Amino acid sequence: MESDREAALVLTPAPPSLPLDFPAGLRVLVVDDDPTCLKTIEKLLWRCQYNVTTCPRAETALSMLRERRGGFDLILSDVHMPDMDGFKLLELIGLEMDLPVIMISGDDGKDVVMKGVIHGAVDYILKPVRFEAVKIIWQHVVRKYQQNEKGLERVRCVEEKKLDEYGDNPSSENDEIWKNGKRRKDENDEVEEVDQQEDPSSQKKPRVVWSADLHQKFVSAVNELGVDKAVPKKILELMGVPDITRENVASHLQKYRMYLKRLSETEDQNTLGMQLSGATNSTYATISSVDRFCHRGLTVPRRHPLQNQMNLQAGVRQLAATGTGISLLDRINLFDSNAQISNASKFVPGQQLINNGQMNTFSRSSANMESRQSQQMLQTYSNIGLQARQGTSGFLNSFPVNTGSTFSLSTSSVYPRNSIIPMAQQGRRFDQFLQQNNLTAEMSTTGQIMNGVAGELDQNRLYSNIGQQILGNGAAIGNRGTSQPDTLLASSYGSTPQTLYPFVGTITPIHQPEILFLM
Amino acid sequence: MEYSNLKRQATSMKQNLFDQGYLDEQFYQLEELQDDVSPNFVEEVVSLFFKDSSRLMANIEQALENNPRDFNKLDSYMQQFKGSSSSIGASKLKSECIQFHEKCGEENIEGCTRSFQKVKREHGILKKKLEAYFQLMRQVGPGDRATCSSN
């Protein structure tokens, strides 16, 4: 028996029962802001008999994926997109849906391809995309399925072992949420499932969906215990959520730790810096984020007027001396209102601003941004994230202000390029909006994060306490400033919980008030 | 007779574009994708390209005039341009984009500006040539577009 179980651990799970005409009908989502490429790739994929959905914007893609959970098998995403960095999207998809993502780009630079690897892309295809390249992308779907099955298999074996040892049922797997995103709904699959259910000892553990809410609880628990010291059993206890097992927590913890590690590694390598550049007529600018924001009727605190020519380059953070503020809108623009904020993405390398003397000024500065500005911007960053979010609320929801919970901010990614151009543009429009509507905008830096975490946090905690430390200009750590942020936060709560991984943030030591963590 | 003349003309026009390096094998790929479901696929994609690329070029132009220049932004515009150019098989245009990318990397503003002028020029030339080609193709007639696809 024992040996059987042990053997089971090393057995490769059987490939899924696939429909006869597989890979025909494979449900692929293509995300690319370039209409020419989108049209070409779409046609190519139809030729492969895949079921293709296209999306010119990352945000929309993310919404679609969320709304239609289990509705897609594979994603193809462009790397350089104006509204969200492809790698960020990649991370979010990995966290929330765990679907295979293939990056596509004309950029064959080593660094860029490497980022794909680091952030978990299953492949990287160069443009122009050829038929041969997409013909066999179905392999990634099968591979992913196998990996999942292997994981479940292992878990099951461990559980069985425990059963042997302790003679009791270790957890209530039966009640776990079954995540079946990759399963095809066809006869074969159903038959397979039924068989498994009939045999309790071989019952597969349903995969837990780590919703924003759940993840939040997880992170809170981990923070309480200390990232280094947290163990699944204790985390589970602290979380107090039924229907998840120690194993679920353990694997999530592993993922989380790897995520944190990636964050810290890239941060070391990165030259922090927001690349700012004047952007006058960015055609990328979209009003949408502003609109959404506006519709919420939120009062956006803004402390500083927009600095004209500010253009934040996503993902590059920079802590700079206090300076002029960035308009709220600008900051909002930094975060793509939708997905970014709410989706606490995994820490994207280099995005983290840490005030440990590592702060750098703008890398490659052709930037005209002064450090002040950037600093302000940084602040804004987090604020915006919080406030601008339209879908983020979920995340915010779970974290009541002042509870020391973590918060996710998502930023466009580290990889400079397309992201922020729209920001400045939006910022200006937002200013107008504010004026028109007599709204006051002041930058409220503290609002969000606040959870009263003050002072120094050790690095790990910082990671998990993102956003908490976003401080306003000159604000002392933990200083909440106005109560507006609260309102904002409160009002922004509400919709679908979306965030997964917290955005890391750090607090800057007192004399450097602006610390911005952007993820 | 008239018809086969037209056909011949179109074929040779296309061949010239290939011989002179304006187009590469990706263009064949587009032709392969043209079918009953999308009988005008190639022309549609190419039109889409020229429409979108004009917008991109306007952005680049603007970005080149901004002070100070954001080379990252310029480069990212160019990446996109390169990606879409390569998707329609616009070979020379793609090369010019690569040049521009290098100049951006060097943060050489004069180099960038000059390079961009070349990009614009190539863009204009290709546009004219392809317009002429598609015009001819339309005269040739839908049924024969497939046969005009070489290889």
Side-chain angles (χ1 to χ4, degrees):
Chain A
M1 286 286 247
E2 272 287 304
S3 57
D4 282 353
R5 292 208 186 89
E6 274 155 11
L9 272 166
V10 301
L11 279 179
T12 308
S17 312
L18 300 168
L20 284 173
D21 60 348
F22 183 87
L26 195 74
R27 298 158 307 169
V28 185
L29 176 64
V30 189
V31 191
D32 193 333
D33 65 307
D34 185 309
T36 312
C37 296
L38 201 57
K39 188 176 169 93
T40 321
I41 295 169
E42 180 189 28
K43 187 72 181 166
L44 263 176
L45 293 171
W46 278 115
R47 261 312 161 79
C48 299
Q49 294 187 289
Y50 297 152
N51 187 314
V52 191
T53 308
T54 58
C55 220
R57 288 173 61 82
E59 301 178 28
T60 324
L62 213 44
S63 310
M64 219 185 282
L65 286 164
R66 287 172 183 150
E67 281 158 29
R68 289 160 59 180
R69 279 193 185 265
F72 294 99
D73 300 307
L74 180 61
I75 292 115
L76 259 58
S77 172
D78 189 23
V79 167
H80 301 292
M81 293 186 284
D83 67 326
M84 186 194 293
D85 184 79
F87 297 118
K88 186 190 184 77
L89 179 64
L90 164 62
E91 291 264 0
L92 291 173
I93 294 173
L95 280 170
E96 293 190 37
M97 292 111 202
D98 196 21
L99 289 172
V101 181
I102 296 176
M103 307 310 295
I104 40 176
S105 184
D107 194 349
D108 60 353
K110 197 174 72 169
D111 297 343
V112 186
V113 179
M114 181 65 86
K115 279 176 188 158
V117 177
I118 291 174
H119 292 281
V122 298
D123 204 351
Y124 192 110
I125 296 178
L126 291 177
K127 289 180 181 175
V129 179
R130 295 164 359 263
F131 183 72
E132 293 73 31
V134 293
K135 204 165 137 197
I136 51 172
I137 55 176
W138 57 264
Q139 60 174 295
H140 301 291
V141 176
V142 181
R143 196 173 286 118
K144 192 87 174 164
Y145 169 89
Q146 272 204 313
Q147 284 167 1
N148 292 343
E149 292 304 297
K150 229 181 193 165
L152 289 173
E153 184 78 34
R154 231 177 262 126
V155 167
R156 188 169 76 235
C157 291
V158 165
E159 287 302 322
E160 286 172 351
K161 256 192 161 191
K162 268 201 188 168
L163 249 169
D164 270 358
E165 289 166 18
Y166 303 112
D168 57 301
N169 192 342
S171 62
S172 56
E173 295 86 7
N174 299 341
D175 303 328
E176 283 175 30
I177 310 155
W178 180 265
K179 180 183 174 189
N180 207 2
K182 277 163 232 50
R183 290 297 200 108
R184 298 181 148 273
K185 302 217 181 320
D186 59 32
E187 290 173 348
N188 292 339
D189 280 349
E190 283 166 10
V191 167
E192 207 179 332
E193 273 177 62
V194 164
D195 283 346
Q196 288 162 359
Q197 282 160 10
E198 283 168 2
D199 179 5
S201 69
S202 68
Q203 183 161 23
K204 291 198 174 176
K205 307 226 177 329
R207 293 183 55 219
V208 172
V209 176
W210 283 91
S211 65
D213 196 57
L214 197 59
H215 179 70
Q216 189 48 55
K217 291 196 166 94
F218 168 83
V219 174
S220 304
V222 168
N223 288 344
E224 228 181 287
L225 298 164
V227 171
D228 290 336
K229 300 194 205 88
V231 286
K233 180 158 174 271
K234 294 221 174 106
I235 297 172
L236 190 60
E237 279 167 25
L238 279 176
M239 282 173 73
V241 173
D243 303 339
I244 57 169
T245 67
R246 197 202 68 86
E247 284 70 30
N248 296 134
V249 174
S251 69
H252 196 71
L253 180 64
Q254 190 185 32
K255 247 179 161 176
Y256 183 62
R257 285 214 170 109
M258 275 162 40
Y259 158 72
L260 293 179
K261 187 165 175 250
R262 273 203 296 278
L263 283 175
S264 68
E265 277 168 8
T266 37
E267 163 200 314
D268 287 345
Q269 295 162 14
N270 243 356
T271 46
L272 304 168
M274 294 257 210
Q275 301 234 349
L276 304 164
S277 61
T280 44
N281 303 320
S282 167
T283 52
Y284 284 117
T286 55
I287 294 265
S288 58
S289 60
V290 178
D291 286 345
R292 281 194 287 271
F293 188 88
C294 298
H295 290 158
R296 286 173 143 305
L298 293 175
T299 299
V300 179
R302 175 180 67 178
R303 269 195 214 158
H304 307 274
L306 169 63
Q307 200 65 50
N308 252 350
Q309 308 279 320
M310 268 212 198
N311 212 353
L312 266 181
Q313 191 131 22
V316 184
R317 297 196 276 156
Q318 194 169 70
L319 187 64
T322 352
T324 41
I326 302 178
S327 81
L328 193 50
L329 188 55
D330 256 4
R331 296 187 222 170
I332 291 173
N333 291 337
L334 288 180
F335 299 93
D336 184 341
S337 65
N338 246 345
Q340 290 186 4
I341 299 191
S342 54
N343 298 314
S345 56
K346 282 184 186 166
F347 212 81
V348 182
Q351 287 181 340
Q352 183 178 24
L353 268 185
I354 298 183
N355 170 42
N356 294 329
Q358 287 176 11
M359 287 305 193
N360 260 350
T361 33
F362 309 91
S363 56
R364 322 211 269 209
S365 288
S366 39
N368 36 347
M369 209 36 122
E370 300 188 7
S371 56
R372 293 179 134 226
Q373 294 170 345
S374 53
Q375 192 171 25
Q376 252 346 70
M377 276 197 301
L378 287 180
Q379 285 179 7
T380 322
Y381 236 85
S382 40
N383 280 341
I384 293 188
L386 294 175
Q387 295 157 355
R389 237 332 306 154
Q390 137 195 11
T392 12
S393 48
F395 189 84
L396 292 176
N397 253 337
S398 349
F399 299 93
V401 176
N402 283 332
T403 52
S405 42
T406 46
F407 187 44
S408 1
L409 278 179
S410 55
T411 48
S412 0
S413 90
V414 201
Y415 315 105
R417 299 277 130 156
N418 296 322
S419 16
I420 322 284
I421 294 156
M423 311 307 185
Q425 209 66 352
Q426 289 178 8
R428 277 187 268 280
R429 285 193 208 142
F430 186 74
D431 284 354
Q432 283 167 16
F433 168 82
L434 289 177
Q435 277 163 28
Q436 284 157 19
N437 294 274
N438 291 323
L439 296 177
T440 22
E442 19 157 313
M443 281 309 240
S444 148
T445 47
T446 53
Q448 322 41 40
I449 324 230
M450 338 352 224
N451 43 56
V453 175
E456 21 351 8
L457 296 171
D458 63 76
Q459 202 71 350
N460 285 335
R461 279 200 77 109
L462 285 182
Y463 284 139
S464 31
N465 292 322
I466 304 172
Q468 291 164 349
Q469 286 106 19
I470 298 186
L471 297 177
N473 200 1
I477 293 171
N479 178 11
R480 302 277 324 269
T482 69
S483 58
Q484 267 178 330
D486 284 341
T487 321
L488 274 172
L489 287 175
S491 51
S492 57
Y493 291 172
S495 4
T496 30
Q498 289 165 344
T499 51
L500 288 185
Y501 273 75
F503 208 78
V504 178
T506 51
I507 300 184
T508 23
I510 337 295
H511 58 271
Q512 251 181 312
E514 281 95 21
I515 293 205
L516 203 57
F517 248 48
L518 294 174
M519 290 287 229
Chain B
M1 302 311 110
E2 171 78 29
Y3 165 81
S4 66
N5 266 344
L6 284 174
K7 223 172 92 165
R8 238 200 325 266
Q9 258 186 292
T11 309
S12 101
M13 197 187 270
K14 189 171 76 170
Q15 192 55 49
N16 279 342
L17 288 171
F18 275 92
D19 292 341
Q20 291 163 19
Y22 288 102
L23 294 177
D24 62 28
E25 59 276 356
Q26 178 63 19
F27 194 80
Y28 290 140
Q29 173 98 97
L30 290 185
E31 289 181 326
E32 285 290 308
L33 290 175
Q34 190 157 287
D35 55 20
D36 293 338
V37 175
S38 339
N40 301 311
F41 184 73
V42 188
E43 193 177 348
E44 283 166 12
V45 175
V46 171
S47 305
L48 194 52
F49 168 74
F50 282 112
K51 190 172 109 182
D52 192 56
S53 57
S54 300
R55 179 190 64 87
L56 253 183
M57 292 200 307
N59 285 352
I60 295 172
E61 198 109 59
Q62 184 68 60
L64 280 170
E65 284 163 23
N66 280 342
N67 221 336
R69 272 76 175 215
D70 182 351
F71 287 101
N72 276 342
K73 192 163 75 162
L74 278 172
D75 195 46
S76 80
Y77 282 138
M78 201 37 84
Q79 279 297 343
Q80 176 152 8
F81 202 107
K82 179 178 148 204
S84 52
S85 301
S86 67
S87 297
I88 67 157
S91 183
K92 277 195 183 183
L93 197 47
K94 181 167 119 177
S95 303
E96 293 302 339
C97 290
I98 294 174
Q99 290 295 316
F100 188 97
H101 169 67
E102 282 173 20
K103 297 295 171 212
C104 282
E106 294 165 17
E107 303 207 350
N108 172 355
I109 190 62
E110 280 93 32
C112 277
T113 311
R114 262 182 312 211
S115 188
F116 181 63
Q117 293 311 312
K118 288 200 196 140
V119 168
K120 264 169 76 177
R121 205 177 74 104
E122 283 302 328
H123 183 265
I125 292 171
L126 185 65
K127 188 167 180 202
K128 273 216 179 86
K129 289 186 184 278
L130 284 176
E131 269 168 4
Y133 172 70
F134 285 118
Q135 197 165 38
L136 202 52
M137 288 299 280
R138 265 176 255 133
Q139 290 173 38
V140 168
D144 301 283
R145 283 185 201 162
T147 51
C148 264
S149 312
S150 35
N151 77 322

